[in-house]
């Protein structure tokens, strides 16, 4: 009886584990593989945007369109690498790196005022006006010692987010 | 908001019938930690709760679980059992299956050769014609059940025919209908199917007063709602059977009940159906297989084992909304059949959630930011 899990050999699992810095156990990778195959309905080897959106809980997420740009078309290895930031074993730095990537949509290594505004726009939709968002953001930036024109780097993110506990753990169900 | 690549959201008519998912979701699934104090840059950059929710949904979600087929546990795992299993395969495919096909064909011949004359010759005697047609359909369903050696245990009193009552059941496969129909000729509300099933629907089952609709057509809903109201008033009509989930679920979960059946002002008689997966999974995963393939799968298994409970009739309590009533009945059915309740609308299989669920989250985020911006 060829089930999905039997298609992953020990070597495959170890390779994937290495790719995600050993943030997932072997069992977790097997579970993730089953999930990957379930979402990849036509067995193309990647999950399309439409297939991601077929999960209503994901489609309802305010950041789903932004995240889709990051996860659309990933193969299994990269899919696991993306999720590895959510492992309980991932450290704060790894989690903040992912958050930074979400903000840094043009991937130039720095986050501008406009980049943050766009994320805020996703998060608040029509319930805040552009002016309100700009005002709120300028105010908190000023208080943190930045200006509207400054670019935030990964180090700035670590400085701002690193002090508190980030609750960003997602448990992979293992049966 | 970027809407490209998304299926069209549900139309407003559909929304009317659609209970609000957020009302059912456990609180705490949205950003509700309610931090206090003045807004800081940290609060705007910390998108971790939203990200965790998204990743959680990618890793596992209760909606997809409802529609996952669960293959039966393999038991042919050792050298002694394996030949036995092979022997079983030979018997199932080469002996049982042909016998069942012959039986089913015989059933069809008997059924059609009596149904067609009765239907056309007894035009004037409506009452007699209907009662004969009723028993013929019941007989045909018995042939179907026999074709998969259905071992069905019925618990509770058999349904009676009287006006102002509807039967609602959880839905796993179209064979639910056959299993229930062999005991009582119900008039059923069902999705219109293509192919030979559609042909049966529009010819034979129509004579039982069954009502067909197309899920995607908003207009169909109004017509169906009207037909429903007319049907339950008639004293001589067959009892009405509704699968309020509106889609097949894998018999481990129940998805939200559509409120249509619960606002007719009728007594609602819950029916719980639980399949035993010992020989075959009776869940019809319409995405993966056609109904014909599903039937073939059932016909080549040893048996389909299931329990049917006719539960105590319920009526709307004073002050109860139809949605609360639907949830109460869902509780009763889930409890009896041992199913887990999930707060999803089964139609999300066919459409994307309406933007209002996302807006709800955006609103709470915006309110929080604006409030804390004011704080000093």
């Amino acid at each position: 009886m060829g089930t999905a899990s039997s298609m992953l050999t020990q070597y495959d699992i170890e390779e994937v584990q290495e790719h995600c810095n050993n943030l997932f156990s072997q069992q977790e990778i097997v579970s993730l593989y089953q999930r990957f195959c379930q979402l990849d309905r036509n067995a193309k080897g990647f999950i399309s945007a439409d297939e991601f959106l077929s999960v209503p809980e994901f489609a309802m997420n305010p950041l789903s369109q932004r995240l889709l740009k990051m996860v659309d078309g990933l193969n299994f290895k990269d899919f696991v690498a993306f999720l590895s930031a959510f492992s309980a074993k991932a450290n704060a730095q790894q989690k903040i790196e992912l958050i930074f990537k979400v903000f840094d949509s043009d991937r130039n290594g720095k986050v501008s005022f406009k980049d943050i505004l766009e994320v805020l726009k996703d998060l608040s939709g029509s319930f805040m006006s552009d002016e309100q968002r700009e005002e709120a953001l300028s105010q908190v930036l000023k208080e943190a010692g930045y200006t509207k024109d400054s670019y935030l780097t990964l180090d700035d993110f670590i400085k701002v987010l690193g002090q508190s506990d980030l609750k960003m753990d997602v448990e992979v169900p293992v049966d | 908001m970027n809407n490209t690549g998304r299926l069209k959201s549900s139309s407003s008519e559909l929304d009317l019938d659609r209970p609000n998912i957020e009302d059912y979701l456990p609180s705490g699934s949205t950003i509700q930690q309610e931090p206090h104090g003045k807004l800081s840059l940290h609060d705007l950059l910390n998108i971790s709760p939203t990200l965790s929710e998204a990743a959680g949904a990618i890793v596992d979600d209760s909606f997809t679980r409802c529609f996952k087929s669960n293959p039966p546990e393999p038991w042919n795992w050792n050298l002694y059992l394996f030949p036995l299993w092979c022997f079983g395969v030979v018997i199932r495919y080469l002996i049982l299956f042909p016998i069942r096909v012959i039986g089913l064909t015989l059933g069809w011949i008997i059924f059609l050769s009596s149904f067609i004359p009765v239907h056309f010759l007894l035009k004037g005697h409506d009452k007699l014609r209907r009662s004969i047609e009723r028993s013929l359909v019941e007989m045909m369903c018995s042939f179907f059940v026999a074709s998969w050696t259905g071992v069905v245990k019925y618990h509770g009193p058999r349904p009676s025919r009287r006006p102002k009552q509807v039967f609602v059941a959880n839905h796993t496969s179209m064979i639910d209908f056959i299993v229930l129909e062999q005991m009582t000729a119900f008039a059923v509300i069902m999705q219109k199917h293509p192919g030979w099933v559609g042909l049966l629907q529009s010819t034979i089952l129509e004579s039982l007063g069954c009502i067909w609709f197309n899920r995607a057509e908003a207009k169909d809903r109004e017509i169906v709602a009207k037909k429903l109201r007319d049907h339950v008033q008639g004293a001589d009509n067959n009892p009405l059977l509704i699968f309020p989930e509106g889609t097949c679920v894998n018999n481990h979960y129940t998805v939200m009940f559509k409120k249509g059946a619960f606002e007719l002002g009728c007594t609602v008689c819950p029916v719980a159906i639980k399949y035993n997966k010992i020989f075959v999974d009776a869940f019809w995963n319409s995405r993966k297989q056609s109904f014909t393939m599903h039937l073939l799968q059932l016909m080549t298994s040893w048996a389909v084992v299931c329990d049917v409970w006719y539960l105590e009739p319920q009526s709307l309590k004073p002050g109860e909304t139809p949605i609360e009533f639907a949830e109460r009945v869902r509780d009763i059915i889930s409890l009896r059949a041992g199913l887990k309740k999930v707060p999803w609308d089964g139609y999300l299989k066919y459409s994307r959630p309406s933007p209002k669920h996302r807006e709800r989250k955006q609103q709470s985020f915006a309110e929080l930011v604006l409030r804390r911006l004011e704080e000093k």
Side-chain angles (χ1 to χ4, degrees), chain A residues 4 20 45 59 62 65 72 77 83 85 87 91 94 96 109 112 152:
Chain A
C20 69
Q65 291 299 332
D72 187 11
K77 259 166 87 174
L83 290 173
S87 154
N91 59 28
Q94 282 159 324
I96 294 170
S112 67
L152 300 186

Side-chain angles (χ1 to χ4, degrees), chain A residues 58-80:
Chain A
F58 181 78
M60 274 159 58
N61 195 291
L63 294 175
S64 58
Q65 291 299 332
R66 183 169 287 271
L67 289 171
L68 269 184
K69 287 195 195 116
M70 300 173 70
V71 296
D72 187 11
L74 293 188
N75 63 19
F76 179 59
K77 259 166 87 174
D78 295 330
F79 174 77
V80 174

Side-chain angles (χ1 to χ4, degrees), chain A residues 46-107:
Chain A
F46 65 90
I47 304 172
S48 68
D50 203 48
E51 285 163 340
F52 273 114
L53 288 172
S54 72
V55 178
E57 276 165 76
F58 181 78
M60 274 159 58
N61 195 291
L63 294 175
S64 58
Q65 291 299 332
R66 183 169 287 271
L67 289 171
L68 269 184
K69 287 195 195 116
M70 300 173 70
V71 296
D72 187 11
L74 293 188
N75 63 19
F76 179 59
K77 259 166 87 174
D78 295 330
F79 174 77
V80 174
F82 170 79
L83 290 173
S84 67
F86 296 94
S87 154
K89 285 188 224 157
N91 59 28
Q93 164 114 18
Q94 282 159 324
K95 290 180 192 290
I96 294 170
E97 266 171 38
L98 182 82
I99 295 179
F100 183 77
K101 274 189 211 152
V102 175
F103 278 94
D104 182 20
S105 53
D106 50 5
R107 293 182 194 174

